Amino acid sequence: MGIFKRRSIKSLGKKKRDMPEGLWHKCPDCGAIIHEADMQQHFHVCPKCDYHFPMTAPGRIELLVDPGSFVEMDKKLESKNPLEFKGYAEKIKAYQKKTGLKDAMVTGRAKILEKPVVIGVMDFRFLGASMGSVVGEKVTRAIEAATKDRCAVILICASGGARMHEGILSLMQMAKTSAALARHHDAGLAYIGVLTHPTTGGVTASFAALGDVIIAEPKCMIGFAGPRVVKETTHQNLPPGFQTAEFMKKHGLVDMIVSRGDLRERLGSLVDYMEPAEA
Ligand SMILES: [Zn+2]
């Protein structure tokens, strides 16, 4: 009998599960295994195939604005479950705990290449970045702050659509945000919309599609209803690449497709070009 016992396959398996989580990422597009450090260095873009991984709102803000310039607005705004939708309050609490955010939108004043802007970023981790009254209110207040400051507003969109837990109150946010953008436009000020994967539903049908300039990240999905619903409703075969950023650019909904690594630079020059004339 040997002195040392062979480790069983079971115990080896257990050791594997002890590996630190989140250190490696698998690209869903090309299957490449990417180390966390590489992910950070490449702005959460696959270095092999240019696949753009989802990003958190705080991560995007850090990537886009001048260091130390971001001052958050309306940080404590949270939903009070106005329709008393069963289980919604608990859901909100769970997502708040998971993400460290009060809802699916982070807004604030910042500078990009030294130009003042108001920026809002949606966070898909929070209930699929669905638009309820808090998201709509924060977007509206961000636009109104930019109008008051006479600077550009930038909204980084990603959304599963309207938040069903708030019913008609969610749908009202489409009109409210669009009206605020119309007033911003009447004041001669710029709005840049950045569409990221996926931008759908009520967000596409309101502020995401109203930019003076509409930018999209490569290959992101942009639509109102999903492709399966469109196919079943219209009984038509959908063309290749339907609802991708590239398809939308070809059909005029998107002005430019910009890789994440170039986005800060591009936003900076656009804000510079569209600066309002001195009064
Ligand atoms: Zn890849």
Side-chain angles (χ1 to χ4, degrees), residues 21-277:
E21 272 182 22
L23 211 54
W24 296 92
H25 304 267
K26 187 176 181 182
C27 171
D29 219 17
C30 74
I33 305 292
I34 311 155
H35 193 269
E36 174 63 22
D38 277 343
M39 282 282 272
Q40 302 263 358
Q41 208 185 351
H42 291 92
F43 325 106
H44 294 256
V45 174
C46 173
K48 299 262 171 18
C49 75
D50 201 37
Y51 174 82
H52 284 50
F53 283 83
M55 273 191 93
T56 65
R60 277 194 186 275
I61 289 165
E62 197 186 327
L63 180 72
L64 292 175
V65 309
D66 296 354
S69 70
F70 184 72
V71 181
E72 190 170 354
M73 293 157 45
D74 305 310
K75 194 176 177 176
K76 290 183 177 164
L77 222 57
E78 62 182 326
S79 177
K80 294 291 177 205
N81 191 9
L83 303 184
E84 295 176 10
F85 194 98
K86 204 175 164 205
Y88 181 41
E90 293 75 26
K91 218 168 223 178
I92 288 275
K93 279 212 170 62
Y95 280 101
Q96 286 178 338
K97 202 173 163 198
K98 186 180 149 197
T99 61
L101 306 174
K102 291 285 183 199
D103 210 297
M105 185 92 202
V106 180
T107 55
R109 290 183 170 87
K111 284 188 174 175
I112 297 183
L113 306 184
E114 295 180 11
K115 297 281 175 196
V117 294
V118 175
I119 187 167
V121 184
M122 305 187 84
D123 197 311
F124 202 78
R125 293 174 303 162
F126 200 108
L127 263 171
S130 48
M131 175 161 68
S133 45
V134 172
V135 168
E137 182 64 20
K138 286 181 94 165
V139 169
T140 306
R141 288 188 190 188
I143 299 162
E144 286 174 347
T147 313
K148 192 166 161 259
D149 292 0
R150 292 202 56 77
C151 69
V153 61
I154 298 169
L155 298 173
I156 317 285
C157 309
S159 180
R163 190 170 295 174
M164 59 163 191
H165 313 77
E166 293 188 25
I168 191 69
L169 295 167
S170 294
L171 298 183
M172 281 167 58
Q173 307 309 316
M174 294 167 67
K176 189 167 82 182
T177 53
S178 302
L181 279 174
R183 290 192 294 271
H184 188 70
H185 178 81
D186 287 346
L189 300 164
Y191 161 47
I192 304 168
V194 180
L195 315 189
T196 71
H197 184 74
T199 300
T200 65
V203 169
T204 304
S206 59
F207 60 86
L210 291 173
D212 296 305
V213 179
I214 302 177
I215 298 175
E217 284 196 333
K219 295 180 191 167
C220 73
M221 189 255 188
I222 304 160
F224 182 65
R228 190 175 48 84
V229 176
V230 175
K231 194 175 173 183
E232 280 170 14
T233 314
T234 61
H235 303 290
Q236 300 272 329
N237 280 326
L238 303 174
F242 182 66
Q243 292 185 327
T244 57
E246 291 71 14
F247 185 91
M248 293 303 184
K249 181 167 179 281
K250 205 172 150 196
H251 290 82
L253 184 92
V254 164
D255 296 305
M256 54 182 84
I257 295 172
V258 179
S259 275
R260 198 175 282 162
D262 303 326
L263 192 55
R264 181 167 174 253
E265 207 65 37
R266 187 64 65 94
L267 286 174
S269 15
L270 284 170
V271 168
D272 193 26
Y273 294 151
M274 297 195 286
E275 207 171 30

